[in-house]
Structure formats: C-alpha cells, structure tokens
Amino acid sequence: MPFASLGLSQELAHAVAEKGYQSPSPIQAQAIPAILEGRDVMAAAQTGTGKTAGFTLPMLQNLMQGRRARSNRARALVLTPTRELAAQVAESVEAYGKNLPLNSVVVFGGVSINPQLQALRRGADVLVATPGRLLDLYGQNAVRFDDLELLVLDEADRMLDMGFIRDIRKILALLPAKRQNLLFSATFSGEIRDLARGLLSQPVEVDVSPRNSTARTVSQRLHPVDKSAKPKVVSRLIRDNNWQQVLIFTRTKHGANRLAQKLERDGIQAAAIHGNKSQGARTRALAGFKDGSVQALVATDIAARGLDIQQLPQVVNFDLPQVAEDYVHRIGRTGRAGAEGQAISLVCEEEFKLLNDIEQLIQTHLERVPLSDFEPKLPLPDSKPLRPLKAKKPKKPKSRSGDGQSAPAKAADKPQARRDHDKSHGEGHNRPKPQRRRRPGRSDQAERGQSSGQGRRRAPQRG
C-alpha cells in the first residue's frame, strides 16, 4: 500500500519516497487517515515503528489548508521530553515538508535563546519545543497561541516519567480550547490514560503492538561477566567483531565518561552523551556518531528514546537499567523499520534482580553466552521461571479536591520515583498532620532581646 493511498498529497508522498520508505508502517496506516480527518488520536507503538512520520505527515498536509503563521504565533505545537528528540522531530518536519511553503522552528534549552527569539518573529507553522524553554519564551512574549490549530505530545509517557506534568499543564492552560490533539506514547499506562481523558475529545485509539515487547528483528543475548571486567569486554567485542557503530548504555554520567575514555585509550573513537554535557557537545557527539567519525557512543538513558539513527546495528547494555521498561526503549534504538539488529547485555551477579525484572517484563529468557577469558568469579544465578503478566486493575475514581483537580492528576504531578518514595513512606489520607509550631510574637521577641531586624532570614523568592 503506497503512502499516497492514505490521502497524502503528491508533495508529501514524494518526500517520503526520497527518504526510502515505500509503504506505511502499521501505526502510520491507522493514524494518518484519522489525523487527516481532524480527529484526536491517542497512539502507542513500539519504538522505531514510525511514530514521528505518523503525525508529521498529516500535520503538514492539514496546515496547508489554512493561512500562514503570523509573527510570534504558532499554528502547530509539538512537545517533546528531550532536546535530542526535539531536534530530530524538527529534522523530520523539515525533510517531509521541504516541498511545502511552511515554516518550522525548534526551541530547547542548553543553547542561546536569542536565535530562537529571532526565529519566532517570522512565525512558526510548526513549533517543536521542550516544555521548559517554551515557557521561558512565552514569558518573554516571544510566542503566543491564539492561532494554534494542533497540539502533539510526543513520547508522552517519557514526559511524565521525567516530571514534566506541571509544565505540560501550564502550557495546556495557555492554548485555545478548540484544537486538534495528538498523543503519541510507547505505552498506554494508567497515568497516560488519566492525561488523555483531560486532553482528548473522543479520540481514535491506535495500539499496534503489545506493551513492553521487543522487536522481532532484534536478537538479544547476555554475557555473564564480573563488573570490573566490563570495560575490557566492551573493547574486545568492538575489536573482534569490527563494529563500526555501537550505542552503549551506562547507568551513570561518570560511568559514561570513564568508559568513553577507556575506549579512546584502546584506539576506539568514542564519545559520551549525558545530561552534564553541554548542548553543543551533545550535538557534536551525536553528529559524529551518525557520520561515522565516532565509532562508539556511550550514553545514559537520556538517549534511550528519540535517537533516530538509520540502520544502527548494535546496542550494548554496559549496565542494566534500574527500570525494566527502559531496557525495551534502549534496545529499540536498533532493529528499526524492519532492519535487523542485536542487543547485548553485560550482566554481573549483583544485577541478577534487574535481569529477572527484565525477563519477566518481556516474557523471554535472554540467551546466555559465556565469554572465554572472562568467566565471572561470582557466577550469575539461573533465570527464574517466567510468570504470566497480570493485567493491571483499573483505578477507582477518586473525588475531586477543593481546587478542582482530581486526585489522580495531582499524583501525576510528581515524578514516578518521588511518588514511589512517598508510597513507601506512608503518604496518604490517614497520615497524621504534624503539629505546627507557634511562631513567636513581638512580646516573645522582646523577652529574648531580639530586634525586628534580627532572627531568621527569609529565603529569597524565585522569579
């Protein structure tokens, strides 16, 4: 089935063909016609199945019907959780829309705001943004949403995981009520459905793959090794297999730096990418990885989603992720669009619980391949039998609080780790409220010999 059969214009179909795509993926085949009809859409699919084109192509076609963007106005807004994803969505918008008279702008933090201010003066038919920088620009009167026709939340589950729900709600309050809404996510979690209920109007729901599943085109295996041997194992794998492009995930930023330095000492062109790197350094590292000048890109989970690297052959989990779902997103960087790839995990004995969580989630035991010369001193325990996944029970509706916000929405305002911490420490309706200390009055201060200018300083208020 060609793209033109979905109702796309010849200009867009030609741009898709130039990218090398002959027929739409399942999520594109279902989402594109619904978006062209002006319907709200809630879509979930495995990473690497073409979600970006699934909303970019019909969005561009619909925008062709109206008048061009006015100065400091946006007609379509795409929100993404990370700078890298924002940049890559913007690249897709530019590539697919190159034959159309539409203007696009991308804004995110970590770089100077002045060029973004200037770009918005010309207006943006499509504005791709991260939430924090968008609110900064709105505060400087650089962008207004009077003419907004379409909102896209891309990787919505990741935005909730990263604690962006407050910023998202602030942005939603600024938008006109009448607009088309698209929500794209890797999963349909309970929190995503809570968000969708307040955002979407009679949406078309598209779910083309089972949750937390890995692509069939990705072969998966693990090497049992001691933690101290992992850097040597990575170097050995790259040299012995002559890997020219490998994405390696570490748990920490310092770990990413140390591994990249170790690989460089071993004669392997490597670069690290994580949150402590400047945006310029992150952009250069990613560009070098794409053009082949960087052989090994070492990343924290900031790169687990949104990196669109054509034909990436290998992903290595140097450390297993703390959250099992992140394993799916990590290895989803390879085996994209039907291409074959391999995912290799280096697992030490102390990571066995993490390994068990991953295997239970994906309902598969990873193939164990021992490496000669690297037999672990602490053997990795045998995998536990797989337990069938239990369907989550729907949450009971909760009464609304005094400010009109539902209890589930308030819970979603906290990042997941904080909510888990709260639960483990007994936060709830039955928790007794601490007694407030009576603040000393003037007479109390006088008795202590304190003047009104002394005592406790007030913390400076944030602007």
Side-chain angles (χ1 to χ4, degrees):
M1 177 176 62
F3 275 91
S5 67
L6 298 178
L8 293 174
S9 66
Q10 289 185 354
E11 293 87 351
L12 288 171
H14 184 64
V16 171
E18 287 186 354
K19 293 271 286 184
Y21 301 124
Q22 303 299 324
S23 58
S25 66
I27 193 169
Q28 293 165 356
Q30 295 185 46
I32 288 176
I35 298 172
L36 289 175
E37 292 174 3
R39 300 284 302 278
D40 283 8
V41 171
M42 178 179 179
Q46 289 176 237
T47 185
T49 54
K51 292 196 296 289
T52 301
F55 66 77
T56 298
L57 292 168
M59 173 182 68
L60 292 171
Q61 179 149 324
N62 286 347
L63 290 173
M64 283 297 297
Q65 310 305 318
R67 64 179 183 178
R68 301 288 78 81
R70 296 186 293 165
S71 176
N72 297 110
R73 300 294 193 276
R75 297 177 60 208
L77 173 63
V78 183
L79 288 177
T80 71
T82 66
R83 304 167 188 174
E84 284 75 21
L85 182 54
Q88 295 197 18
V89 170
E91 289 177 5
S92 294
V93 171
E94 185 174 347
Y96 292 130
K98 66 179 183 179
N99 300 320
L100 306 177
L102 297 175
N103 181 37
S104 63
V105 176
V106 58
V107 298
F108 47 76
V111 296
S112 173
I113 200 171
N114 291 329
Q116 298 173 3
L117 292 168
Q118 295 173 3
L120 286 170
R121 288 174 189 163
R122 299 190 298 270
D125 293 296
V126 179
L127 175 59
V128 185
T130 52
R133 177 52 62 93
L134 182 66
L135 288 172
D136 289 343
L137 290 163
Y138 183 85
Q140 297 188 37
N141 294 319
V143 61
R144 286 293 179 267
F145 304 109
D146 313 66
D147 302 337
L148 194 80
E149 304 169 29
L150 173 68
L151 169 69
V152 182
L153 293 185
D154 191 17
E155 298 284 9
D157 52 340
R158 184 65 169 170
M159 281 197 270
L160 294 186
D161 290 344
M162 294 175 69
F164 283 134
I165 185 63
R166 291 184 184 274
D167 285 348
I168 291 173
R169 294 192 187 282
K170 288 179 183 177
I171 292 168
L172 293 178
L174 304 174
L175 307 182
K178 186 178 180 181
R179 64 178 189 270
Q180 186 179 12
N181 300 287
L182 312 177
L183 187 151
F184 280 72
S185 173
T187 61
F188 282 162
S189 65
E191 290 178 333
I192 287 294
R193 292 189 179 278
D194 287 340
L195 177 63
R197 276 192 287 271
L199 175 67
L200 307 177
S201 174
Q202 298 180 330
V204 173
E205 189 169 313
V206 179
D207 193 352
V208 300
S209 65
R211 298 183 192 179
N212 298 320
S213 64
T214 54
R216 296 177 182 176
T217 54
V218 179
S219 65
Q220 303 172 66
R221 71 175 188 267
L222 69 83
H223 297 307
V225 295
D226 288 327
K227 183 176 181 180
S228 59
K230 287 186 178 184
K232 293 181 180 178
V233 171
V234 172
S235 288
R236 171 78 67 85
L237 289 172
I238 293 174
R239 290 196 304 266
D240 289 357
N241 295 287
N242 194 28
W243 288 346
Q244 297 303 309
Q245 193 179 47
V246 54
L247 178 60
I248 307 169
F249 284 104
T250 63
R251 190 176 302 129
T252 68
K253 302 168 186 175
H254 295 301
N257 288 335
R258 287 195 299 268
L259 181 57
Q261 292 165 4
K262 157 69 175 171
L263 296 176
E264 285 280 346
R265 290 195 298 271
D266 291 346
I268 298 168
Q269 294 297 317
I273 179 172
H274 52 69
N276 280 359
K277 293 283 187 179
S278 69
Q279 185 57 41
R282 287 158 65 170
T283 301
R284 287 192 298 274
L286 183 57
F289 189 57
K290 288 183 175 181
D291 66 25
S293 58
V294 171
Q295 192 174 351
L297 183 65
V298 188
T300 55
D301 280 311
I302 190 173
R305 302 193 196 185
L307 290 186
D308 186 12
I309 302 164
Q310 296 294 327
Q311 307 299 324
L312 176 62
Q314 283 88 216
V315 168
V316 172
N317 289 301
F318 183 85
D319 301 310
L320 290 185
Q322 294 285 356
V323 180
E325 286 83 355
D326 285 342
Y327 173 84
V328 178
H329 301 310
R330 285 181 177 189
I331 72 170
R333 297 305 97 207
T334 186
R336 298 169 72 88
E340 293 186 357
Q342 60 177 333
I344 299 169
S345 299
L346 309 182
V347 185
C348 60
E349 183 270 342
E350 64 187 64
E351 294 177 301
F352 177 69
K353 183 183 182 304
L354 301 177
L355 172 63
N356 180 63
D357 291 344
I358 290 169
E359 291 182 328
Q360 297 297 334
L361 179 74
I362 65 176
Q363 290 289 284
T364 301
H365 286 137
L366 300 184
E367 179 189 5
R368 299 188 180 203
V369 181
L371 293 174
S372 59
D373 301 331
F374 291 105
E375 290 288 343
K377 296 177 182 178
L378 296 174
L380 189 65
D382 293 336
S383 293
K384 295 182 179 181
L386 299 176
R387 301 183 305 272
L389 294 178
K390 295 181 180 179
K392 292 185 178 181
K393 296 181 180 179
K395 295 181 179 180
K396 294 181 180 180
K398 298 183 180 181
S399 59
R400 291 185 174 271
S401 59
D403 61 358
Q405 189 179 23
S406 65
K410 280 197 166 185
D413 278 355
K414 298 180 182 179
Q416 184 65 44
R418 176 64 183 276
R419 292 197 300 279
D420 293 342
H421 178 274
D422 290 341
K423 290 178 183 177
S424 66
H425 287 71
E427 183 182 67
H429 296 292
N430 298 325
R431 185 177 181 179
K433 294 183 178 180
Q435 295 292 326
R436 293 180 109 183
R437 288 187 177 182
R438 185 176 64 86
R439 199 172 172 183
R442 286 183 172 273
S443 59
D444 296 320
Q445 292 181 359
E447 287 177 4
R448 296 178 186 177
Q450 295 178 348
S451 67
S452 60
Q454 294 175 328
R456 191 173 184 178
R457 294 183 180 179
R458 298 178 99 188
Q461 294 187 357
R462 296 178 65 183

